[in-house]
Amino acid sequence: PPHSDQPLLIIPPSKHNTTQTYNPTMTNSTILVTGGSGLVGQAIKAYTDENSQPGETWIFLSSKDGDLRVRADTDKIFDKYQPTHVIHLAAKVGGLFANLSQKVEFYRENTLINDNIMENCRLHKVTKLVSMLSTCIFPDKTKYPIDETMLHDGPPHPSNEGYAYAKRLIDTMNRAYAEEYGCNFTSIIPTNIYGPHDNFSIQNGHVIPGLIHKCYIAKKEGTPFTIWGSGTPLRQFIYSLDLAELTVWVMREYHSPDPITLSVDESAEVPIKDVALAVAKAMKFEGEVVFDTTKADGQFKKTACNKKLRSYRPDYKFVSMEEGIQKSVDWFLANYETARK
């Protein structure tokens, strides 16, 4: 999409220090999901198709509905749908190279989007706004496991600081909107997400979808399935349908401006090698699996603590990595022609 040339306008509040009164019940609610066509948006759609509550109307936006960087477009969307709840997933995202080379655009465009969404939620007296953050916006130099209280403890990794600071400001502004206007705005911090409707690009996709596509090609061409690096780094992966269920729970039940990490337990952290072997098994790949140790490994671990989530949902059962990968592989094979890759 073209870069936005508009300046970042700070719209003065119409009435100062007006505390809005919110009805926390979900009866006759219209829930607007920005970024509704992506990995998480489609997972929320699949979940709510089966688990919608009476009186809920779900609307999933895509870029065809308007440009959220543009205030007038965002105003029109809110005027049209009059949402009572918003789940905000839309963002300008990209891989390492894009983040490095376009820090200005990643900062400005995400800040414009977030400001337009938050101001419209205030002006339309939206009952609840849930925005999505990411573990990649945490301080670069930190101790592990990371938790919600450490978000602003130091600068992010220099490679994605434009994106990271724009996203961190969501947390800052959630608290500011709560203090000044009584708004019920919060944010979620997922770990590595995977599942149906992912971006399966080998160059720009994330670990699991990239491995699925790579394994598919290796099987088709009868070549070795080659994984970059030693396979030793550890990661926590959350299946998109689990994240969808927990995001809807946050919208309905979790009412604090402080962010909440949505992640599998620390004990479910797995080496990339196990992920690659699970992909090979799900793909019924019987060829050679090779770890190319001439390629860099990246960070050894980025463990996130989910104690806060567990204090609310001690019995929540996550889909196992093996089952989630099998479902993702099955979806990729069934939708190969149309999948993003």
Side-chain angles (χ1 to χ4, degrees), residues 311-330:
S311 72
Y312 292 97
R313 301 292 302 268
D315 302 320
Y316 186 79
K317 194 168 179 326
F318 288 92
V319 168
S320 72
M321 185 192 68
E322 292 76 16
E323 186 190 345
I325 285 179
Q326 186 67 64
K327 288 179 172 181
S328 303
V329 165
D330 293 346

Side-chain angles (χ1 to χ4, degrees), residues 8 10 107-108 110-112 114-115 118 131 133 137 151-152 161-177 185 187:
L8 178 54
I10 306 301
Y107 171 77
R108 288 195 69 244
N110 282 303
T111 302
L112 287 164
N114 299 336
D115 185 65
M118 291 176 126
S131 299
L133 307 183
I137 72 174
L151 186 58
H152 302 280
E161 60 187 347
Y163 174 83
Y165 279 117
K167 282 289 195 184
R168 284 185 184 191
L169 281 172
I170 290 178
D171 175 51
T172 306
M173 295 313 295
N174 282 342
R175 283 178 279 113
Y177 271 102
F185 295 177
S187 59

Side-chain angles (χ1 to χ4, degrees), residues 190-225:
T191 42
N192 300 280
I193 316 157
Y194 71 100
H197 300 277
D198 209 336
N199 180 351
F200 292 85
S201 160
I202 291 170
Q203 296 303 323
N204 302 316
H206 288 118
V207 178
I208 290 179
L211 288 174
I212 289 173
H213 192 182
K214 211 181 238 193
C215 189
Y216 170 86
I217 292 168
K219 183 179 177 180
K220 193 174 158 189
E221 297 181 351
T223 53
F225 173 29

Side-chain angles (χ1 to χ4, degrees), residues 52-68:
S52 191
Q53 290 186 354
E56 285 183 358
T57 304
W58 288 81
I59 291 151
F60 295 85
L61 297 179
S62 74
S63 50
K64 294 186 195 79
D65 293 289
D67 186 341
L68 297 177

Side-chain angles (χ1 to χ4, degrees), residues 20-33 53-59 77-88 117 120-130 183-185 251-252 255:
Q20 300 182 8
T21 53
Y22 289 103
N23 169 15
T25 62
M26 294 290 298
T27 50
N28 294 331
S29 25
T30 300
I31 306 106
L32 191 67
V33 182
Q53 290 186 354
E56 285 183 358
T57 304
W58 288 81
I59 291 151
I77 289 167
F78 274 75
D79 289 340
K80 178 178 177 181
Y81 294 111
Q82 297 291 324
T84 57
H85 298 70
V86 176
I87 296 177
H88 176 36
I117 292 293
N120 264 288
C121 285
R122 176 182 77 83
L123 293 168
H124 285 260
K125 296 183 165 49
V126 162
T127 302
K128 180 74 173 279
L129 166 64
V130 180
C183 296
N184 189 2
F185 295 177
M251 186 191 70
R252 291 175 180 156
H255 302 301

Side-chain angles (χ1 to χ4, degrees), residues 244-266:
E245 183 177 345
L246 290 169
T247 301
V248 173
W249 165 77
V250 166
M251 186 191 70
R252 291 175 180 156
E253 309 285 341
Y254 174 80
H255 302 301
S256 160
D258 296 323
I260 183 166
T261 300
L262 301 182
S263 170
V264 298
D265 303 323
E266 289 172 50

Side-chain angles (χ1 to χ4, degrees), residues 11-25:
I11 312 296
S14 50
K15 290 199 203 94
H16 220 55
N17 292 327
T18 54
T19 301
Q20 300 182 8
T21 53
Y22 289 103
N23 169 15
T25 62

